[in-house]
């Protein structure tokens, strides 16, 4: 692996480490004051806005990275793409904004304060230009985005969350801190590329919309099967168990963040390598993914060994012991996800967004069906089993379709 590639992983990874530390600092504070039930409500609302935020991202977090990466030396192409992309994002933001307002007026059983204030998460998503820095491979700038937004978030949570009823402020604080910091960097990019929404052509908006909507469906499908378990649990078992699941999901998020670092750093480098030489691109995928899976297996082995020693050394209450057993099940899932990453990247480069969207849409529908019935009959363990099975199904389908169509068994 090239030295600058290693530096990029370490640089971007350090920023993602902050992303992991921030929730670990916030969660004990929120749960201790607001209770596990209200933590469950926050987790459910966050899942809802994670799904809605994808409509703001549209295809920029993948195809946008590809466009910026491939054309990084061509100012005009990037300028035109950014103008069109932000026009689509702005339209989607206002549609979602009005939709949330109307929903809060029509339905009285939703937590209005929690959901209305969480709209700031969507404004933060609009101003988030980390995908541009990712395509330009400016990972230090991404770190600054993450560092300042998360520092503000953690500090304000500790200052304002004083009573049990303050739980509705948590997502508002997160969204506001993101909006403030991201907008500062957004203005820098806006000036740097001399952007203007008045220069956007309707034809370009329609063309980019058609090109990227399949990626939106893919991303939404991924998020749907990731976020749907907590929504199903809240529906069937209530806020308390949703809170328990959310803590376990945070363990999985540690590995997701690691895989996100890997994907976000390796994808623009793969695009650049493959655009020069097919063999060079495939060789890069083989090397980088071999290292990735080896590191994952090593990390999981260390966690399992350390956990076994901890459990055997200390006398643990049976209820806590059962929870630890439940949480440990989450750490197997990332290995399955890691297996599909090189094939997923290859298919995106080949503009197979529609194929991926079909696979992922099928997976999200299966998650809703399987997750519902397994949770209904087997409670929390059923939800975890559904996550494992659907992740395995999606990975298998992506690999099989990639091998069948492009005959690239050597990735």
């Amino acid at each position: 692996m090239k030295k600058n590639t290693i530096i990029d992983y370490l640089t971007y990874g350090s920023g993602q480490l902050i992303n992991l530390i921030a929730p670990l600092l916030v969660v004990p504070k929120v749960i201790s004051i607001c209770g596990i039930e209200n933590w469950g409500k926050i987790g459910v609302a966050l899942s809802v806005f994670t799904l809605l935020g994808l409509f703001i991202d549209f295809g920029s977090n993948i195809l946008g990275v590809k466009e910026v990466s491939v054309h990084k030396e061509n100012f005009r192409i990037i300028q035109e793409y950014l103008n069109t992309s932000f026009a689509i994002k702005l339209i989607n933001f206002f549609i979602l904004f009005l939709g949330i307002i109307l929903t809060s007026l029509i339905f009285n059983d939703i937590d209005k304060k929690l959901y209305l204030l969480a709209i700031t998460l969507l404004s933060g998503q609009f101003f988030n230009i980390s995908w541009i820095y990712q395509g330009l491979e400016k990972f230090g700038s991404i770190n600054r985005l993450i560092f300042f937004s998360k520092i503000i978030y953690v500090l304000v949570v500790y200052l304002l969350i004083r009573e049990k009823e303050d739980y509705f402020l948590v997502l508002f604080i997160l969204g506001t801190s993101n909006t403030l910091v991201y907008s500062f960097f957004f203005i820098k990019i806006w000036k740097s590329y001399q952007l203007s929404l008045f220069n956007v052509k309707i034809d370009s908006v329609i063309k980019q919309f058609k090109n990227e909507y399949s990626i939106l469906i893919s991303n939404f499908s991924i998020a749907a099967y990731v976020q749907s378990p907590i929504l199903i649990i809240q529906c069937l078992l209530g806020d308390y168990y949703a809170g328990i699941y959310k803590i376990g999901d945070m363990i999985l998020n540690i590995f997701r963040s690691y895989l996100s670092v890997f994907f976000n750093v390796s994808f623009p480098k793969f695009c650049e390598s493959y655009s020069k030489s097919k063999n060079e691109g495939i060789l890069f995928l083989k090397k980088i993914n071999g290292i990735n899976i080896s590191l994952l297996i090593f990390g999981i082995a260390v966690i399992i060994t350390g956990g076994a020693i901890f459990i055997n050394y200390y006398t643990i209450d049976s209820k806590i012991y059962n929870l630890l057993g439940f949480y440990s099940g989450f750490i197997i899932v990332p290995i399955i996800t890691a297996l599909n990453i090189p094939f997923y990247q290859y298919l995106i480069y080949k503009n197979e967004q529609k194929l991926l969207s079909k696979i992922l849409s099928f997976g999200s529908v299966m998650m809703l069906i399987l997750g519902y019935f397994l949770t209904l009959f087997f409670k929390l363990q059923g939800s975890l089993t559904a996550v494992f099975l659907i992740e395995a199904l999606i990975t298998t389908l992506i690999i099989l379709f990639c091998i069948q169509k492009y005959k690239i068994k050597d990735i």
Side-chain angles (χ1 to χ4, degrees), residues 32 34 44 105 158 223-224 230 278 305:
S32 64
C34 303
V44 170
L105 293 174
Y158 271 79
I230 191 172
K278 176 182 176 180
T305 303

Side-chain angles (χ1 to χ4, degrees), residues 55-56 83-97 126-127 186 190 197:
F55 291 92
I56 307 294
N83 276 331
T84 307
S85 182
F86 285 121
I88 294 173
K89 289 173 184 288
L90 188 62
I91 292 168
N92 290 345
F93 172 78
F94 279 114
I95 291 172
L96 291 173
F97 179 82
F126 173 81
F127 289 116
F186 174 86
W190 189 272
L197 294 179

Side-chain angles (χ1 to χ4, degrees), residues 22-43 153 157-158 161-168 170 230 239-250 323 327:
L24 295 177
L25 294 174
V26 166
V27 171
K29 172 74 172 179
V30 175
I31 291 179
S32 64
I33 293 176
C34 303
I36 194 72
E37 295 90 349
N38 286 329
W39 173 245
K41 292 178 183 178
I42 294 169
Y153 169 52
V157 164
Y158 271 79
I161 304 302
R162 298 288 186 182
E163 299 178 358
K164 187 173 183 177
E165 292 74 21
D166 292 336
Y167 72 92
F168 70 90
V170 174
I230 191 172
D239 293 325
Y240 178 81
Y241 286 100
I244 291 175
Y245 181 88
K246 185 62 181 177
I247 295 173
D249 191 54
M250 286 178 61
L323 282 176
Y327 293 145

Side-chain angles (χ1 to χ4, degrees), residues 251-373:
I251 298 171
L252 184 54
N253 275 336
I254 293 174
F255 292 96
R256 284 191 189 128
S257 294
Y258 164 75
L259 291 176
S260 175
V261 171
F262 172 78
F263 187 98
N264 291 338
V265 175
S266 63
F267 184 58
K269 292 182 182 295
F270 162 65
C271 291
E272 187 177 2
S273 298
Y274 197 90
S275 64
K276 294 176 182 177
S277 165
K278 176 182 176 180
N279 291 333
E280 184 180 337
I282 295 296
L283 182 62
F284 175 81
L285 280 182
K286 288 171 65 176
K287 285 183 177 180
I288 204 70
N289 282 280
I291 294 171
N292 176 46
I293 292 175
S294 299
L295 288 173
L296 262 180
I297 293 172
F298 174 76
I300 289 171
V302 169
I303 292 172
I304 291 174
T305 303
I309 293 171
F310 175 82
I311 290 172
N312 291 328
Y313 186 79
Y314 294 98
T315 302
I316 298 175
D317 179 80
S318 59
K319 186 176 181 180
I320 297 176
Y321 183 87
N322 290 334
L323 282 176
L324 289 174
F326 168 69
Y327 293 145
S328 65
F330 282 87
I331 66 175
I332 307 299
V333 177
I335 294 180
I336 304 172
T337 306
L339 292 173
N340 77 49
I341 286 179
F343 300 92
Y344 189 87
Q345 290 180 333
Y346 188 87
L347 288 173
I348 292 173
Y349 186 86
K350 291 293 184 179
N351 293 316
E352 293 286 359
Q353 293 90 262
K354 291 183 179 179
L355 172 63
L356 288 169
S357 67
K358 289 177 182 178
I359 294 173
L360 295 167
S361 296
F362 174 70
S364 63
V365 171
M366 289 301 298
M367 171 58 85
L368 289 172
I369 297 171
L370 198 62
Y372 180 86
F373 286 105

